[in-house]
């Protein structure tokens, strides 16, 4: 019988366990090993019943292991039903004949990196000791609403997956990211006054949070927390779901759900109401919303409106004709388009001609603008009003409405549903607006038709009317005056200049190729090695068996096992201790011998630092410096072969003895005799102005793009940000006159050994925050 209840008489088992079973220690529980005749004893502190008939999950706690003391047990088939009837809290178990698999929830629940799979098909057996007259009843067909635990923002920890509530302090409406996914950025705050910025991706637009304004309240389920530059961030994880509520005190608590199936209990309604009250007293999140009747030049505002017309203007801009029932106090710019390009009811457009405004949207907003349906209600975020004088004398100045490219400051377009409270209010107001001019198209003269659609005063192309300020920002030397490129080219080196120019072209076009490794000591550059080279080095080192005499020293504890594949590799992991104790995984540095690249990446997801090593006769040592000397998260750290003098691994013990070892890469490199290589962007910009052109090199770690070069190769979000930045600085297919201006500092210098060869380098310049 796979599930047996054992009696304990006078503290001893009445029935003995099978003699072939050997007790296993939880800390040696690893995938790839044979656990057929192994068992371990665990006490049962918590029951978690599944809602199906063939699955039962319990959490068991080991009574011997001190480093990791709990593990998930997944029980399938008839054994699940039997266990559900027999198990009670506090029972002691012997689990045998189980299958070990990698746990996908280890980081979230803090339990063992593996879980056990138990079923009759696996030949498993469970022995339970406990009182015979107490049982749990399991109802396989019952529908049990889960009770979720919500984590305050001040209690978030790196690497966990949590559920949370928060008030929206800032958000970017969903936009198309690199590839096919939509992306939305949301900054939340709660009563702890801690902020959390979440970057959410999904291929289905409806699966992202339905946020319409700052002050909305959201509930996120299964959002993954990670730490970046000392700040906690949230990203979508498997099963992410959201509810959004109006944040107005007293408004109906009606959730806007991202999924068809969800639970929302009375207890959670209290959470929403408490957040509303706290937000009303402590936050100013009303936002820059305005009516057309009170706009003025040089204003950024949000507009709730109805779409009555739209038209293609050119490849990078699109026209939206909108109204909100009020009249702009200034003459407004009418974008010149051909009549055949304009979609919308001609009669209505003519009737509303004094109430509609033309909003010109650019770049990444164009695709969404094209898909909008005439008559839909919109909230356009961060519209920019600009005042410009007409070219013809006697024509008064007018106001232009622009939605610039990028998503900075929340720029974007949101589609509001008919039942949105703001839409219902707007619809009621629009129905009351009197349209005195009710003539139809048939009765209009050809002159009036021309005035409506074609014959606007020539104010230049939309791109000319949208000339923005410099796309870059100077971070120093503000007192320097501008120089034209002709002056720079005709001057001796070395000198420094402040210039204003346009980026005609750049290299490399494939942006990932711009990332190099730089040694600040010998000033050499090299390519970043690919993963195949690292894997090849690891395979070569795996042929050498670990030295058993180097295991479990005073400052580290070692675990060794043999893989069950054909090669039967010996793998050893050395966990560095602190004050003779093992630290939590997120604070642990470990060294690995004999591991593959895939195995090492798995370890980096759970432990803070991983150092690949190999055994010698006397000590552990680093691999060839063609391989990284350290891996931390997704980043591989390399050392300079020319400037490094590698030392043995025992030198790490000095860091382990520190009061609070931080395991910073620079400290590790120093004690190991490594001169670290730094990730750097290296690009060539061709800059032009009316007087000439020159090539200037960008040599930057993270200031210019405000993106760390060390993370760009492994972070798709940062790759997308960099690509959008370069498309803004040098838009493909644009004429030179349409390119934005770059204001920057460059310095000239002579290259040693090359007479009369002058080079130029950009410095103390960064991309403006509102470019992307």
């Amino acid at each position: 019988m796979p599930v047996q209840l054992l009696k304990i008489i006078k503290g001893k088992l009445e029935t003995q366990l099978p003699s072939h079973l050997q007790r296993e220690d939880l800390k040696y529980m690893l995938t790839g090993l044979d656990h057929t005749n192994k068992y371990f004893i665990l006490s049962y502190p918590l029951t978690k019943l599944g809602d199906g008939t063939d699955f039962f999950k319990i959490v068991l706690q080991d009574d011997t292991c001190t480093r990791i003391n709990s593990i998930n047990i997944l029980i399938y088939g008839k054994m699940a039903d039997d266990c559900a009837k027999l198990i009670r809290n506090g029972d002691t178990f012997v689990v045998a004949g189980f299958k070990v698999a990698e746990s996908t929830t280890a980081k979230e629940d803090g339990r063992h990196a593996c879980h056990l799979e138990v079923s009759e098909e696996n030949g498993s057996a469970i022995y339970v000791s406990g009182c015979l007259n107490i049982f749990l009843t399991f109802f396989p067909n019952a529908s049990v609403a889960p009770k979720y635990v919500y984590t305050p923002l001040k209690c978030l920890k790196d690497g966990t997956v949590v559920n949370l509530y928060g008030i929206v302090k800032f958000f970017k409406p969903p936009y198309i990211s690199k590839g096919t996914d939509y992306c939305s950025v949301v900054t939340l705050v709660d009563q702890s006054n801690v902020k959390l910025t979440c970057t959410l991706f999904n291929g289905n637009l409806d699966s992202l949070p339905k946020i319409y304004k700052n002050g909305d309240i959201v509930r996120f389920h299964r959002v993954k927390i990670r730490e970046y530059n000392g700040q906690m961030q949230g990203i979508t994880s498997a099963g992410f779901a959201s509810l959004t509520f109006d944040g107005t005190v007293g408004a109906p608590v009606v959730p806007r759900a991202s999924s068809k199936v969800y639970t929302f209990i009375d207890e959670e309604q209290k959470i929403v109401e408490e957040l509303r009250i706290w937000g009303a007293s402590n936050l100013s999140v009303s936002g820059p919303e305005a009516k057309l009747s009170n706009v003025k030049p040089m204003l950024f505002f949000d507009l709730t409106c109805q779409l009555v017309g739209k038209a293609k203007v050119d490849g990078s801009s699109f026209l939206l004709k909108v109204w909100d029932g009020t009249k702009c106090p200034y003459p407004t710019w009418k974008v010149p388009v051909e009549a055949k390009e304009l979609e919308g009811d001609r009669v209505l457009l003519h009737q509303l001609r004094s109430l509609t405004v033309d909003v010109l949207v650019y770049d990444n907003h164009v695709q969404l603008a094209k898909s909008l349906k005439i008559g839909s209600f919109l909230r356009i975020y961060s519209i920019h009003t600009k005042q410009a004088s007409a070219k013809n004398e006697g024509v008064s100045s007018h106001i232009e409405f622009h939605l610039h490219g990028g998503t900075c400051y929340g720029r974007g377009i949101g589609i509001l549903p008919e039942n949105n409270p703001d839409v219902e209010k707007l619809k009621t107001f629009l129905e009351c607006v009197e349209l005195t001019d009710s003539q139809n198209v048939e009765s209009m003269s050809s002159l009036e038709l021309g005035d409506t659609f074609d014959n606007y005063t020539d104010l230049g192309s939309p791109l000319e009317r949208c000339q923005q300020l410099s796309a870059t920002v100077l971070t120093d030397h503000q007192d320097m005056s501008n120089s034209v490129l002709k002056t720079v080219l005709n001057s001796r080196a070395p000198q420094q200049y402040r210039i204003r120019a346009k980026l005609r072209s750049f290299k490399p076009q494939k942006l990932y190729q711009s990332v190099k490794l730089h040694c600040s000591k010998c000033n050499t550059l090299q390519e970043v090695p690919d993963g195949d080279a690292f894997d090849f080095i690891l395979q070569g080192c795996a042929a050498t068996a670990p030295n058993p005499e180097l295991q479990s020293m005073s400052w580290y504890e070692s675990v060794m096992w043999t893989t069950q594949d054909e090669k039967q590799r010996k793998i050893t992991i050395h966990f560095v201790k602190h004050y003779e104790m093992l630290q939590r995984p997120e604070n642990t540095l470990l060294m690995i011998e004999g591991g593959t690249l895939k195995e090492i990446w798995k370890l980096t997801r759970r432990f803070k630092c991983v150092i690949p090593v190999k055994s010698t006769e006397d000590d552990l040592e680093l691999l060839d410096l063609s391989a990284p000397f350290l891996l931390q998260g997704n980043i591989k750290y390399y050392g300079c072969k020319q400037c490094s003098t590698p030392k043995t691994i025992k030198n790490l013990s000095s860091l382990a003895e520190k009061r609070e070892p931080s395991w910073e890469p620079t400290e590790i490199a120093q004690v190991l005799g490594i001169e670290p290589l730094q990730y750097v962007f290296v690009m060539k910009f061709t800059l032009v102005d009316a007087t000439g052109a020159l090539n200037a090199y960008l040599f930057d770690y993270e200031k210019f793009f405000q993106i760390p070069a060390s993370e760009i190769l492994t972070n798709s979000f940062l790759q997308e940000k960099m690509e959008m930045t370069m498309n803004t600085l040098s838009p493909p297919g644009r004429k030179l006159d349409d390119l934005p201006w770059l204001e920057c500092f460059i310095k000239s210098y002579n290259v040693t050994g090359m007479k009369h060869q002058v080079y130029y380098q950009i410095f103390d310049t960064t991309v403006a925050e509102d470019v992307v």
Side-chain angles (χ1 to χ4, degrees):
M1 181 179 179
V3 181
Q4 298 184 34
L5 186 65
L6 306 180
K7 293 183 179 180
I8 301 178
I9 300 177
K10 295 182 180 181
K12 295 183 179 180
L13 290 174
E14 181 185 43
T15 306
Q16 296 299 313
L17 296 175
S19 58
H20 67 276
L21 295 180
Q22 300 176 354
R23 180 164 177 167
E24 182 74 289
D25 194 329
L26 186 55
K27 70 180 179 180
Y28 298 121
M29 196 65 55
L30 298 165
T31 58
L33 301 186
D34 185 5
H35 299 282
T36 304
N37 294 320
K38 301 290 182 69
Y39 77 90
F40 56 90
I41 301 174
L42 308 106
S43 63
Y44 172 63
L46 175 66
T47 299
K48 292 187 178 180
L49 298 177
D51 59 359
T53 58
D54 60 347
F55 175 77
F56 185 48
K57 176 182 176 181
I58 56 179
V59 180
L60 300 181
Q61 180 174 306
D62 192 350
D63 61 357
T64 61
C65 182
T66 58
R67 184 167 65 89
I68 301 173
N69 66 350
S70 62
I71 193 169
N72 292 323
I73 312 290
L74 310 182
I75 307 172
Y76 298 89
K78 185 177 182 301
M79 292 184 71
D81 187 53
D82 292 341
C83 286
K85 295 175 181 177
L86 292 175
I87 289 172
R88 72 179 181 87
N89 190 29
D91 285 347
T92 299
F93 294 76
V94 174
V95 184
F98 45 81
K99 179 182 177 182
V100 178
E102 183 179 354
S103 173
T104 58
T105 62
K107 280 194 173 183
E108 294 83 29
D109 55 29
R111 300 187 185 113
H112 199 282
C114 302
H115 67 239
L116 307 186
E117 296 180 356
V118 178
S119 66
E120 288 189 73
E121 289 75 15
N122 288 338
S124 307
I126 296 178
Y127 305 90
V128 186
S129 66
C131 298
L132 291 174
N133 59 346
I134 302 177
F135 298 94
L136 289 177
T137 305
F138 179 44
F139 300 94
N141 296 320
S143 177
V144 181
K147 185 175 181 181
Y148 294 98
V149 176
Y150 295 98
T151 305
L153 301 187
K154 67 178 180 181
C155 299
L156 299 176
K157 295 182 179 179
D158 182 36
T160 58
V161 173
V162 300
N163 309 314
L164 53 84
Y165 269 92
I167 302 175
V168 177
K169 192 167 185 179
F170 169 81
F171 74 102
K172 294 183 180 182
Y175 58 92
I176 295 178
S177 62
K178 184 178 182 181
T180 58
D181 278 1
Y182 289 90
C183 176
S184 181
V185 179
V186 187
T187 298
L188 306 178
V189 67
D190 65 5
Q191 293 96 326
S192 63
N193 252 332
V194 172
K195 290 194 301 183
L196 174 71
T197 297
C198 301
T199 304
L200 312 172
F201 291 91
N202 202 293
N204 182 2
L205 181 62
D206 291 333
S207 296
L208 290 173
K210 294 174 173 57
I211 300 169
Y212 300 137
K213 60 184 177 182
N214 293 333
D216 279 353
I217 292 170
V218 296
R219 184 190 83 175
F220 289 168
H221 276 182
R222 294 170 290 277
V223 61
K224 186 173 183 178
I225 304 302
R226 64 181 183 185
E227 187 174 353
Y228 177 71
N229 281 348
Q231 298 291 326
M232 293 299 175
Q233 295 182 341
I235 57 175
T236 41
S237 67
F240 172 83
S242 69
L243 296 181
T244 310
F245 307 86
D246 191 323
T248 307
V249 176
V253 182
V254 180
R256 306 191 288 265
S258 65
S259 58
K260 294 181 180 180
V261 180
Y262 64 89
T263 60
F264 182 69
I265 59 178
D266 293 343
E267 203 173 305
E268 293 185 68
Q269 180 163 337
K270 293 179 181 178
I271 297 176
V272 174
E273 292 171 342
E274 288 172 359
L275 280 170
R276 284 175 168 178
I277 294 170
W278 180 85
S281 304
N282 295 274
L283 296 178
S284 176
V285 291
S286 56
E289 191 167 358
K291 293 283 188 181
L292 290 177
S293 57
N294 54 24
V295 299
K296 55 187 179 181
M298 301 308 295
L299 180 71
F300 288 88
F301 70 101
D302 301 342
L303 176 66
T304 303
C305 55
Q306 185 182 29
L307 178 67
V308 293
K310 64 178 185 177
K312 177 183 177 182
V313 179
D314 57 29
S316 60
S317 59
F318 199 83
L319 168 66
L320 300 179
K321 283 182 172 288
V322 299
W323 75 310
D324 69 354
T326 68
K327 186 173 182 179
C328 178
Y330 296 84
T332 61
W333 178 35
K334 299 300 181 183
V335 178
V337 295
E338 296 182 14
K340 64 180 182 180
E341 294 289 347
L342 186 64
E343 297 180 44
D345 187 303
R346 295 298 180 90
V347 174
L348 183 61
L349 284 169
H350 182 71
Q351 291 174 335
L352 299 179
R353 65 187 183 278
S354 63
L355 294 176
T356 57
V357 298
D358 288 6
V359 180
L360 201 60
V361 304
Y362 296 90
D363 301 332
N364 56 297
H365 307 297
V366 170
Q367 186 172 346
L368 176 59
K370 288 180 179 178
S371 68
L372 297 175
K373 294 181 178 179
I374 301 297
S376 59
F377 291 89
L378 311 174
R379 183 166 285 137
I380 309 177
Y381 301 94
S382 198
I383 295 178
H384 182 202
T385 56
K386 297 176 63 180
Q387 187 171 27
S389 297
K391 293 179 180 179
N392 297 345
E393 293 183 6
V395 179
S396 60
S397 61
H398 61 275
I399 276 191
E400 304 169 1
F401 295 82
H402 299 278
L403 179 65
H404 299 306
T407 61
C408 199
Y409 305 113
R411 294 188 198 121
I413 303 172
I415 305 170
L416 303 180
E418 295 280 339
N419 62 354
N420 180 275
D422 293 334
V423 169
E424 292 176 345
K425 190 185 303 183
L426 177 60
K427 286 168 66 177
T428 301
F429 179 73
L430 295 181
E431 290 169 0
C432 297
V433 176
E434 293 186 8
L435 304 179
T436 56
D437 186 355
S438 59
Q439 60 182 318
N440 58 38
V441 175
E442 286 75 15
S443 65
M444 292 169 61
S445 68
S446 59
L447 178 61
E448 288 175 320
L449 276 171
D451 287 342
T452 303
F453 301 115
D454 290 320
N455 299 328
Y456 296 110
T457 303
D458 181 14
L459 301 177
S461 71
L463 291 172
E464 288 174 343
R465 304 307 308 144
C466 190
Q467 283 294 331
Q468 302 180 43
L469 298 176
S470 175
T472 49
V473 176
L474 306 177
T475 59
D476 205 349
H477 321 293
Q478 302 296 334
D479 55 329
M480 288 181 64
S481 58
N482 279 344
S483 299
V484 297
L485 295 186
K486 183 178 179 180
T487 301
V488 176
L489 290 166
N490 292 334
S491 302
R492 292 178 175 272
Q495 289 192 56
Q496 296 182 352
Y497 308 90
R498 175 176 178 170
I499 66 167
R500 183 176 172 84
K502 296 189 176 188
L503 179 57
R504 185 171 66 189
S505 62
F506 61 89
K507 292 182 179 180
Q509 288 291 309
K510 295 180 179 178
L511 295 177
Y512 68 88
Q513 295 177 347
S514 67
V515 182
K516 312 291 182 184
L517 291 171
H518 175 244
C519 177
S520 57
K521 190 172 182 179
C522 64
N523 207 31
T524 57
L525 282 172
Q526 67 180 65
E527 299 293 332
V528 179
D530 59 28
D532 291 340
F534 183 24
D535 197 23
F536 182 76
I537 294 173
L538 291 173
Q539 292 176 26
C541 294
T544 304
N547 185 349
E549 295 182 1
L550 299 177
Q551 296 184 25
S552 297
M553 297 295 185
S554 60
W555 57 283
Y556 62 79
E557 182 176 322
S558 306
V559 177
M560 183 174 72
W561 71 95
T562 303
T563 62
Q564 298 302 306
D565 54 21
E566 294 180 359
K567 295 183 179 179
Q568 294 191 324
R569 290 177 294 117
K570 299 283 186 183
I571 302 177
T572 304
I573 297 180
H574 311 280
F575 299 92
V576 177
K577 296 186 290 187
H578 181 232
Y579 292 134
E580 299 185 356
M581 295 182 63
L582 293 171
Q583 295 178 280
R584 293 175 61 85
E586 60 268 25
N587 298 323
T588 296
L589 179 145
L590 61 83
M591 301 166 291
I592 180 171
E593 292 184 75
T596 63
L597 184 58
K598 183 178 179 181
E599 290 162 345
I600 288 177
W601 281 128
K602 285 184 178 180
L603 291 171
T604 62
R605 292 198 292 267
R606 181 158 179 78
F607 297 92
K608 181 167 186 177
C609 297
V610 176
I611 298 180
V613 296
K614 60 184 178 181
S615 292
T616 64
E617 293 183 2
D618 304 317
D619 198 358
L620 300 174
E621 65 177 28
L622 296 171
L623 309 184
D624 185 297
L625 285 184
S626 298
F629 70 89
L630 174 71
L631 294 94
Q632 193 174 76
N634 290 327
I635 303 176
K636 294 181 283 190
Y637 292 90
Y638 292 88
C640 177
K641 292 183 179 181
Q642 182 174 328
C643 302
S644 300
T645 308
K647 300 177 182 177
T648 56
I649 294 297
K650 64 183 178 183
N651 288 275
L652 279 176
S653 61
S654 62
L655 293 182
E657 293 170 358
K658 286 190 173 184
R659 188 169 185 176
E660 292 183 2
S662 61
W663 302 124
E664 289 301 316
T666 51
E667 287 186 340
I668 294 173
Q670 184 176 5
V671 299
L672 292 180
I674 301 296
E675 183 64 36
L677 295 173
Q678 294 177 288
Y679 288 86
V680 62
F681 294 111
V682 180
M683 302 183 72
K684 184 170 77 172
F685 287 3
T686 300
L687 302 172
V688 297
D689 67 7
T691 67
L694 62 77
N695 292 324
Y697 287 90
L698 177 71
F699 188 89
D700 177 72
Y701 296 103
E702 62 179 24
K703 289 184 179 180
F704 184 81
F705 293 109
Q706 301 184 64
I707 297 173
S710 59
E711 298 184 25
I712 193 72
L713 296 177
T714 57
N715 190 314
S716 58
F717 174 74
L718 296 181
Q719 291 170 12
E720 175 200 349
K721 182 178 178 182
M722 184 177 177
E723 183 174 345
M724 291 180 67
T725 298
M726 294 309 302
N727 285 340
T728 303
L729 299 182
S730 181
R734 294 273 187 90
K735 295 179 180 179
L736 186 60
D737 290 343
D738 298 333
L739 300 181
W741 288 99
L742 276 66
E743 191 168 21
C744 56
F745 291 117
I746 62 173
K747 56 186 176 183
S748 61
Y749 60 95
N750 293 303
V751 176
T752 305
M754 300 180 67
K755 282 189 176 182
H756 309 299
Q757 186 66 47
V758 179
Y759 286 80
Y760 303 92
Q761 182 179 327
I762 298 172
F763 71 101
D764 286 348
T765 306
T766 188
V767 174
E769 288 187 0
D770 62 346
V771 165
V772 179

